Amino acid sequence: MSLTNRILMAMAAGIVLGSGLEVLLATIDADSSLAQFINTYLIFGLFDVVGRIFIASLKLLVVPLVLVSLICGMASLGHSARMGAIAGRTIGLYLLTTATAVTLGLVGASVLGPGRGLQVDSPTAFEPKMPPPLTDVLVNIFPSNPFAAMAQGEMLQVIVFAILVGYSLTRAGEAGQRVAGWFRDMEAIVMKMVGVMIELAPWGVFALLIKLFATMGFSTIVNLAAYFLTLSGLLIFHGVVVYGLLLKATTGLSPGILRSKMRRVWAFAFSTASSGATLPVTLRTVEKRLGVPKSVAGFAIPLGATVNMDGTAIMQGVATVFIAQVYGIELSAMQLLMVILTATLASIGTAAVPGVGLITLSLVLTQAGLPVEGVALIIGVDRLLDMIRTAVNVTGDATVATIVAHREGQLDETIYNDPHADSDVGLEAAAAETSEVP
Ligand code: ASP
């Protein structure tokens, strides 16, 4: 069985067994020794530990990978001065797709009306955590200490530092070439580590999902079914139709191929609910399965994981309208415009970790003059939706990277169209490659 299918099987098994455990725990006595055993040793023991180790190992790869891929990408561009065009196109497309996503969320929820006539208990007090002001966000992009930036995982700062190093390498003559060679070797090694992680993914994904579904609490989803269905429907629509049309219209490439190659990345995004933790897999997939060159992928993917969150933006739109409907507030055109603007800008300043969309939502609601306590209405169902929107977030990054590479005339279409490109990675493939070395 292919690795991707094994990961998807592990996902399905985790979801089914986790839900089964939840049902079982609800039916047996919570003090019985069986319930104690399941809770202590399985859910919060074995599965929790394996899942957390899996996420830690993914995060471990993020900083080294972003640093070396971006430096190598810049070095491969040489003196061609294309970086400005690549950066401009990438950022432009990220902003455009995010604004489209919020608008889709607002319009979709206004038409479908998930919150109309809904009676909910008045929500418990909610303490919003506010993101930093936009000026700080801008200043924080520029590192004063590269090692601190790497140690704290400040992705935008690492990106700026890597661009500077990469740029200087290409202009430092022989010394630059020697160091660029070293970074290329490092990149091959870090990519191999990502391969090993992907190989171990079935276990990690299984452990994460079984714990999550065993503790999810499905009853809240039933109460908020209209919100849940509207949002997940719009997320899938954006992921499939909007990106599909965008890719087809701008490049003529088949969106079906992109989607089929993204399945492995989706499994990671879904089970970790973090674009940041998924980044190593997204980057490897975009380079080795979609044929995007390092110069584009090394920039677009880490940047996208940090600033481009279309799934999160759709959630902002739907949640804002939903909360307004529940409170019986009519949104004015000005308020709608405010939501589009703040949601697009706020997504830049928030981190790629689980649940951050809720923090952004507090900001959007405040800006639009809506009650921030409304966030408490949707917290119960947010985790599962977070998993879906993270999958949309990473698809947006990969789609934009593919489009930019194609426009630059640098997309390797043979790799894009090859269904088996990088389909088996990791231990076995690494062993096979090593044994080929004379
Ligand atoms: N979990 C999302 C991500 O990492 C962000 C969010 O919507 O909460 O992409």
Side-chain angles (χ1 to χ4, degrees):
M1 198 190 290
S2 81
L3 183 57
T4 304
N5 285 345
R6 268 188 286 145
I7 299 175
L8 295 176
M9 288 269 296
M11 244 177 99
I15 294 174
V16 171
L17 290 177
S19 314
L21 278 184
E22 197 202 14
V23 174
L24 179 71
L25 285 173
T27 47
I28 59 175
D29 178 8
D31 292 326
S32 66
S33 47
L34 179 62
Q36 302 264 349
F37 172 78
I38 294 177
N39 268 320
T40 321
Y41 292 105
L42 291 183
I43 300 178
F44 292 99
L46 180 69
F47 299 132
D48 185 42
V49 169
V50 174
R52 275 167 36 199
I53 293 177
F54 178 61
I55 292 198
S57 327
L58 278 172
K59 286 194 185 152
L60 159 85
L61 299 174
V62 171
V63 171
L65 186 61
V66 170
L67 188 73
V68 294
S69 339
L70 197 46
I71 291 178
C72 292
M74 286 294 293
S76 69
L77 279 181
H79 282 278
S80 68
R82 293 301 301 156
M83 199 57 213
I86 293 175
R89 275 214 179 106
T90 310
I91 294 169
L93 276 170
Y94 280 159
L95 288 176
L96 181 79
T97 48
T98 306
T100 314
V102 201
T103 315
L104 176 72
L106 287 173
V107 174
S110 303
V111 174
L112 299 169
R116 249 176 248 141
L118 195 73
Q119 290 298 321
V120 275
D121 305 335
S122 85
T124 44
F126 175 73
E127 278 287 323
K129 271 197 257 151
M130 282 300 162
L134 202 63
T135 43
D136 285 3
V137 171
L138 279 178
V139 174
N140 277 340
I141 294 178
F142 298 92
S144 57
N145 178 343
F147 296 101
M150 285 184 247
Q152 282 151 16
E154 288 287 349
M155 223 25 72
L156 295 181
Q157 297 192 357
V158 176
I159 292 176
V160 170
F161 178 65
I163 290 181
L164 194 61
V165 175
Y167 175 85
S168 311
L169 277 186
T170 58
R171 281 158 178 81
E174 237 179 76
Q177 277 180 8
R178 273 198 304 273
V179 177
W182 183 84
F183 273 111
R184 270 193 285 276
D185 288 350
M186 275 311 285
E187 203 213 0
I189 293 165
V190 182
M191 272 291 180
K192 201 59 75 182
M193 288 161 76
V194 179
V196 174
M197 278 310 298
I198 298 180
E199 188 86 19
L200 296 175
W203 300 104
V205 164
F206 177 72
L208 281 174
L209 289 177
I210 200 166
K211 181 195 163 201
L212 209 65
F213 277 77
T215 51
M216 182 94 77
F218 281 102
S219 48
T220 30
I221 297 185
V222 177
N223 294 340
L224 287 168
Y227 169 74
F228 187 86
L229 291 177
T230 307
L231 180 47
S232 41
L234 289 173
L235 284 170
I236 294 171
F237 177 83
H238 190 78
V240 176
V241 180
V242 176
Y243 290 145
L245 287 176
L246 185 69
L247 184 74
K248 190 85 201 159
T250 48
T251 64
L253 295 166
S254 151
I257 295 183
L258 185 134
R259 280 198 293 274
S260 76
K261 293 190 171 191
M262 284 298 286
R263 282 185 308 158
R264 189 190 288 164
V265 184
W266 289 340
F268 277 78
F270 186 78
S271 39
T272 62
S274 163
S275 318
T278 311
L279 203 155
V281 191
T282 322
L283 193 57
R284 178 164 178 138
T285 303
V286 166
E287 276 184 26
K288 302 208 175 229
R289 302 207 74 196
L290 296 175
V292 177
K294 291 184 208 330
S295 50
V296 176
F299 174 75
I301 297 301
L303 182 75
T306 323
V307 307
N308 182 48
M309 297 187 183
D310 293 356
T312 307
I314 296 180
M315 176 274 223
Q316 317 284 304
V318 174
T320 308
V321 173
F322 175 76
I323 290 167
Q325 285 168 350
V326 172
Y327 282 89
I329 302 170
E330 272 298 318
L331 287 171
S332 66
M334 193 58 211
Q335 276 174 313
L336 290 176
L337 212 66
M338 237 10 236
V339 174
I340 297 180
L341 203 69
T342 9
T344 308
L345 290 179
S347 73
I348 298 173
T350 37
V353 291
V356 81
L358 284 182
I359 302 177
T360 327
L361 181 62
S362 313
L363 178 81
V364 172
L365 291 175
T366 316
Q367 292 295 327
L370 288 168
V372 181
E373 309 79 66
V375 175
L377 293 174
I378 54 166
I379 280 185
V381 289
D382 195 65
R383 178 62 203 219
L384 190 55
L385 290 165
D386 193 4
M387 296 156 80
I388 306 175
R389 67 179 183 253
T390 306
V392 175
N393 289 347
V394 294
T395 312
D397 304 341
T399 309
V400 168
T402 310
I403 295 174
V404 173
H406 190 271
R407 304 296 282 188
E408 282 290 307
Q410 287 187 32
L411 185 80
D412 189 333
E413 291 196 36
T414 329
I415 297 185
Y416 187 90
N417 290 316
D418 173 8
H420 302 299
D422 199 41
S423 55
D424 263 313
V425 294
L427 304 175
E428 283 160 36
E433 268 174 43
T434 329
S435 60
E436 280 161 22
V437 177

